[in-house]
Amino acid sequence: MPRITTLGEYIVQNQQSFPYAKGELSRLLSSIRLAAKIVNSEINKAGLVDEIMGDVGTTNVQGEDQKKLDVYANHIFKEAIRRRFEVCGMASEEEDDFIAFDGGCKTGNYILLTDPLDGSSNIDVNVSIGTIFSIYRRLSPIGEFANIDDFLQPGSEQVAAGYVIYGSSTMLVFSTGQGVNGFTFDPSVGVFYLSHPDIKIPDNGKIYSINEGNYRAFSEGVRQYVDYCKESDSATNRPYSGRYIGSMVADFHRNLIKGGIYIYPATKKNPKGKLRLLYECNPMAYLIKEAGGLATDGHRDILDLKPSELHERTPLFIGSKNMVEKAMEFLKQEETVS
Ligand code: P6P
């Protein structure tokens, strides 16, 4: 019977290999583990307990209706992170501005950015949703409060990133720069077990994930790529299968395991795309690169983009390397034509 590694054992066994290993990142990952367990418990009751379903009646800075679980998940991760003095500040999709932690400013070497509950509009219909997190070293000096420059670093500066997917099973998938590992939660004992060691995304896949309801609002190049996915060509395993859940973490996770491409491009309604660079695209781009895939805005590597403000958006093409490169060929053609 192979030895099954728990998340706690994995953190201890690998903390010497974590960037700047002094145990801080290990303790920070343990905080995320705890917050994930708490949020998971509430999500699993969502169908039974009215007061945690539905809208709060407020909107976030993005102008999106905040679900009660959005606000709850944001609170849980914020408090779990605040209590650990490894973090000097945090930014969240659900918060207007970043938060500089009093306690962490004197000891914390890290900052954390999060989308506490991505896909939350799916909560009421029992579709998988997720938490996404991204970790950087602070730029501001120890002893001072975190400042905006700490949060506007390019994604290439991340030291760790990951997500929790609350689905048929709850998984924590993350990387600290030594590959991508997936841990599955066993609620009977309250432990995450290493179930998917060293995940690598296939260079090619048969799945494309995009909201085709926006087809007429896509650029010519994106429309041509969608049409390409539907053409019959046995040599390239086409037509591909269209799979779009409306929850990026769920679409990303399936494509990471099976191969595929997820696209949220610029549209007439969202000329910069819909997804947030800091909270969604950068952490997923870090993971996909660690897993051998590719993430671009259609032209440039996501990790090379220099953010200019906390909530900025970007188009996203992410997944199997050869599929993302093929999609970029169509966008390049539209450049030369236009
Ligand atoms: P649309 C959820 O709101 C999200 O940010 C992603 O998780 C998801 O893939 C996308 O938006 C869905 O957006 O416009 O297709 O409904």
Side-chain angles (χ1 to χ4, degrees), residues 185-205:
F185 186 57
D186 179 344
S188 66
V189 292
V191 173
F192 282 97
Y193 289 106
L194 178 61
S195 54
H196 297 69
D198 196 23
I199 302 173
K200 295 295 180 194
I201 185 170
D203 286 341
N204 295 292

Side-chain angles (χ1 to χ4, degrees), residues 32 36 39 73-74 77 90-93 112-119 129-135 158 160-166 171-174 247-250 252 262 275-287 316:
I32 292 168
V39 171
N74 188 57
F77 276 91
M90 174 178 161
S92 164
E93 184 180 305
L112 180 133
L113 297 96
T114 185
D115 179 355
L117 211 53
D118 179 73
I129 52 182
T131 296
I132 309 170
F133 62 90
S134 169
I135 300 170
Q158 291 172 100
Y163 60 86
V164 185
I165 179 168
Y166 310 98
M171 281 188 68
L172 174 58
V173 180
F174 73 93
S247 180
M248 191 255 272
V249 172
F252 178 92
Y262 170 97
L275 301 181
R276 270 62 63 159
L277 174 58
L278 273 62
Y279 312 113
E280 294 164 317
C281 300
N282 271 337
M284 293 317 215
Y286 178 88
L287 286 174
L316 178 67

Side-chain angles (χ1 to χ4, degrees), residues 81 103 115 117 188 222 244 253 301:
I81 297 303
D115 179 355
L117 211 53
S188 66
V222 173
Y244 189 74
H253 183 73
D301 191 317

Side-chain angles (χ1 to χ4, degrees), residues 41-311:
S41 169
E42 287 303 305
I43 286 173
N44 286 345
K45 290 183 288 196
L48 300 173
V49 189
D50 281 350
E51 65 260 19
I52 59 172
M53 285 178 68
D55 295 343
V56 180
T58 56
T59 59
N60 61 21
V61 67
Q62 332 282 344
E64 295 165 335
D65 292 338
Q66 288 183 300
K67 296 286 185 182
K68 291 171 186 170
L69 270 174
D70 272 329
V71 174
Y72 177 79
N74 188 57
H75 170 73
I76 292 297
F77 276 91
K78 183 164 51 176
E79 293 315 310
I81 297 303
R82 181 199 302 271
R83 284 184 171 79
R84 298 279 187 164
F85 295 144
E86 289 79 25
V87 178
C88 64
M90 174 178 161
S92 164
E93 184 180 305
E94 300 304 327
E95 301 277 352
D96 295 359
D97 202 350
F98 70 87
I99 302 162
F101 294 144
D102 295 351
C105 79
K106 298 177 180 65
T107 55
N109 279 311
Y110 296 96
I111 59 156
L112 180 133
L113 297 96
T114 185
D115 179 355
L117 211 53
D118 179 73
S120 56
S121 57
N122 291 303
I123 291 171
D124 304 351
V125 293
N126 204 15
V127 167
S128 300
I129 52 182
T131 296
I132 309 170
F133 62 90
S134 169
I135 300 170
Y136 294 80
R137 296 276 292 181
R138 71 185 298 177
L139 298 176
S140 52
I142 283 269
E144 291 181 15
F145 284 111
N147 64 47
I148 187 60
D149 294 333
D150 289 320
F151 296 91
L152 297 183
Q153 301 181 57
S156 53
E157 294 302 310
Q158 291 172 100
V159 294
Y163 60 86
V164 185
I165 179 168
Y166 310 98
S168 51
S169 65
T170 293
M171 281 188 68
L172 174 58
V173 180
F174 73 93
S175 175
T176 58
Q178 282 85 31
V180 179
N181 291 290
F183 297 81
T184 299
F185 186 57
D186 179 344
S188 66
V189 292
V191 173
F192 282 97
Y193 289 106
L194 178 61
S195 54
H196 297 69
D198 196 23
I199 302 173
K200 295 295 180 194
I201 185 170
D203 286 341
N204 295 292
K206 281 201 59 170
I207 295 169
Y208 72 105
S209 307
I210 189 169
N211 182 343
E212 291 202 54
N214 297 326
Y215 182 85
R216 294 182 187 283
F218 294 154
S219 71
E220 180 57 27
V222 173
R223 286 201 299 269
Q224 286 179 356
Y225 180 68
V226 171
D227 296 343
Y228 169 85
C229 291
K230 296 177 175 180
E231 287 167 357
S232 291
D233 176 41
S234 55
T236 52
N237 276 325
R238 288 178 292 145
Y240 297 150
S241 296
R243 294 285 186 275
Y244 189 74
I245 297 174
S247 180
M248 191 255 272
V249 172
D251 280 317
F252 178 92
H253 183 73
R254 180 205 52 241
N255 293 353
L256 176 68
I257 303 298
K258 294 191 168 186
I261 185 171
Y262 170 97
I263 302 173
Y264 206 106
T267 64
K268 293 184 179 106
K269 180 184 166 193
N270 293 307
K272 292 278 283 179
K274 175 183 180 183
L275 301 181
R276 270 62 63 159
L277 174 58
L278 273 62
Y279 312 113
E280 294 164 317
C281 300
N282 271 337
M284 293 317 215
Y286 178 88
L287 286 174
I288 208 73
K289 181 173 185 180
E290 284 290 321
L294 181 59
T296 76
D297 64 358
H299 306 283
R300 298 163 297 171
D301 191 317
I302 291 286
L303 297 175
D304 293 338
L305 303 181
K306 176 69 176 73
S308 52
E309 61 98 8
L310 280 178
H311 299 292

